[in-house]
Amino acid sequence: MKITNARVIVTCPGRNFVTLKIETDEGLHGIGDATLNGREKAVVAYLEDHVIPVLIGKEANRIEDIWQYLYRGAYWRRGPVTMSAIAAVDTALWDIKGKAANMPVYELLGGASREGVLVYGHANGADIEETTDAVGRYIELGYKAIRAQSGVPGVKGAYGVGRGDLYYEPADGTLPTETLWNTSAYLNFAPQLFDRLRRDHGNEVELLHDVHHRLTPIEAGRLGKSLEPYRLFWMEDCTPAENQEAFKLVRQHTVTPLAVGEIFNSIHDCRELIQNQLIDYIRTTVVHAGGITHLRQIAALASLYQVRTGSHGATDLSPACMGAALHFDLWVPNFGIQEYMRHTPETDEVFPHSYSFKDGYLHPGTSPGIGVDIDETLAAKYPYDPKQLPVARLEDGTMWNW
Ligand code: GCO
Ligand code: MG
């Protein structure tokens, strides 16, 4: 089965998505997500200029060889743009292989290891009152695990307080919006938020929190310690991870479980974190970390150190990524949790899919392949709308991590 055609589809049904569609001489096609929030066109160019020309005529069955060709064969390795492009090819080829075998991708990987995929949703509000109400609404919807973010008194533009109840869209301007950050105010406030959430909602629901790279390691240690009484499922991205050793300091000071990895694109970004057991959950995703083929290697390494998966699944990852992720999650032995931020109804229409939510769990469905397709006619009705992620500064004007 040869690859005869491949093309990139850019659509904006509520937000921008980049999708690669690969077609074969046997009439089967597959799709893969290539969306990199705020950098969409860079991946489009990489795919169109450097990837698609070498795909035409290749054997669609040879997923591993094509992965190696695109990764090892290219002199310039790794990085979010390259790895998102490789991920899109990889996902589309697993989709095709599943369709050719008439099996859902989780069967090709080794079959289901569980009945459903535990997911967490996002509850957020401008203040504690709004956030606790939002957590209550998620519990009513059946969620067993909920990420809670709140505006911080005195901080203009705290991370995670979004528009919309079920989805959150941080990319909001043609130029980056400038937000302000105040670490002291945040560190004083966060324990109050979780104290209130436990008092209002009890101990059964799993609570998660995203620090979004805002703290230094010692500050992260202090936050983790101060949140211990509230038994978080995890504290995410507590400090930037370019220096993997930074997590040693955090780990020394807290037993709050640590999650990191949504911006990683390779096993080398997390090898030391995993091998030194500095984290509990690895958040690499299908779309930004080289597809199912590479994610499988990361998960295998993580399994040796009792690190479990907790893949990124924000609204800016398309349904094609979510579908592929759910097959992976249903199979992967060391599964932890899957982030699930819903898409707008327009997006769901553009990407018809077989996955479904019930009682806090998602299931990928049993359709052959990844169980997600793209309606190209509908997609064409939503032209690309350039949007950038915000930036953050400290109150004195110093650039900070968003
Ligand atoms: C998360 C993330 C997102 C990112 C977004 C950037 O944990 O879901 O931090 O909200 O900010 O995906 O594009
Ligand atoms: Mg995050």
Side-chain angles (χ1 to χ4, degrees), residues 89-107:
V89 175
D90 187 75
T91 307
L93 293 179
W94 278 100
D95 192 20
I96 290 171
K97 196 180 272 299
K99 288 174 179 169
N102 200 24
M103 282 183 192
V105 166
Y106 69 80
E107 291 291 2

Side-chain angles (χ1 to χ4, degrees), residues 47 50 75 145 216 328 381:
L47 280 167
H50 309 293
Y75 185 59
T216 65
F328 186 82
K381 294 194 178 140

Side-chain angles (χ1 to χ4, degrees), residues 88-162:
V89 175
D90 187 75
T91 307
L93 293 179
W94 278 100
D95 192 20
I96 290 171
K97 196 180 272 299
K99 288 174 179 169
N102 200 24
M103 282 183 192
V105 166
Y106 69 80
E107 291 291 2
L108 301 181
L109 290 169
S113 301
R114 52 195 59 81
E115 305 313 314
V117 171
L118 177 69
V119 297
Y120 72 91
H122 284 203
N124 60 69
D127 55 25
I128 292 189
E129 290 306 321
E130 276 187 33
T131 305
T132 190
D133 287 353
V135 169
R137 285 196 295 279
Y138 270 90
I139 292 172
E140 273 166 30
L141 287 169
Y143 284 81
K144 312 263 182 273
I146 302 162
R147 179 185 106 150
Q149 305 293 138
S150 166
V152 179
V155 177
K156 237 180 87 201
Y159 164 78
V161 185

Side-chain angles (χ1 to χ4, degrees), residues 175-379:
L175 289 176
T177 301
E178 299 226 351
T179 61
L180 285 183
W181 180 249
N182 179 327
T183 296
S184 305
Y186 169 72
L187 285 177
N188 290 332
F189 172 78
Q192 295 171 34
L193 170 67
F194 284 93
D195 180 58
R196 175 68 187 277
L197 295 180
R198 280 294 175 217
R199 278 192 283 125
D200 287 2
H201 304 290
N203 281 323
E204 210 173 304
V205 64
E206 299 288 5
L207 294 175
L208 300 83
H209 184 63
D210 191 348
V211 185
H212 224 257
H213 321 278
R214 300 296 165 91
L215 302 178
T216 65
I218 199 68
E219 290 163 352
R222 176 176 151 207
L223 177 64
K225 200 183 245 181
S226 68
L227 294 177
E228 280 169 14
Y230 315 112
R231 257 196 340 92
L232 259 55
F233 186 92
W234 79 33
M235 176 168 85
E236 175 184 337
D237 288 344
C238 61
T239 195
E242 286 104 325
N243 172 19
Q244 298 183 37
E245 259 188 53
F247 277 69
K248 280 192 186 153
L249 195 53
V250 186
R251 204 51 150 180
Q252 259 166 32
H253 291 286
T254 182
V255 293
T256 294
L258 303 177
V260 67
E262 68 181 42
I263 64 168
F264 296 174
N265 48 72
S266 149
I267 196 166
H268 301 288
D269 296 332
C270 50
R271 191 173 50 76
E272 292 166 49
L273 287 168
I274 291 172
Q275 289 179 329
N276 295 315
Q277 290 180 291
L278 299 179
I279 55 170
D280 302 280
Y281 296 93
I282 180 68
R283 281 180 47 71
T284 39
T285 62
V286 171
V287 55
H288 299 137
I292 290 174
T293 297
H294 194 57
L295 213 53
R296 190 159 69 163
Q297 286 194 324
I298 296 175
L301 175 69
S303 74
L304 302 181
Y305 300 93
Q306 299 189 50
V307 174
R308 296 191 285 160
T309 65
S311 287
H312 188 202
T315 307
D316 50 281
L317 283 58
S318 94
C321 175
M322 182 54 76
L326 293 172
H327 289 273
F328 186 82
D329 295 337
L330 199 68
W331 157 74
V332 71
N334 50 326
F335 171 74
I337 199 165
Q338 168 70 52
E339 181 179 16
Y340 174 45
M341 273 167 88
R342 297 181 188 222
H343 293 106
T344 61
E346 292 80 8
T347 299
D348 283 338
E349 257 177 39
V350 169
F351 295 93
H353 52 264
S354 64
Y355 60 79
S356 57
F357 174 85
K358 195 168 168 253
D359 299 332
Y361 293 83
L362 274 168
H363 193 283
T366 54
S367 311
I370 62 167
V372 183
D373 211 340
I374 184 163
D375 179 334
E376 288 190 70
T377 318
L378 203 52

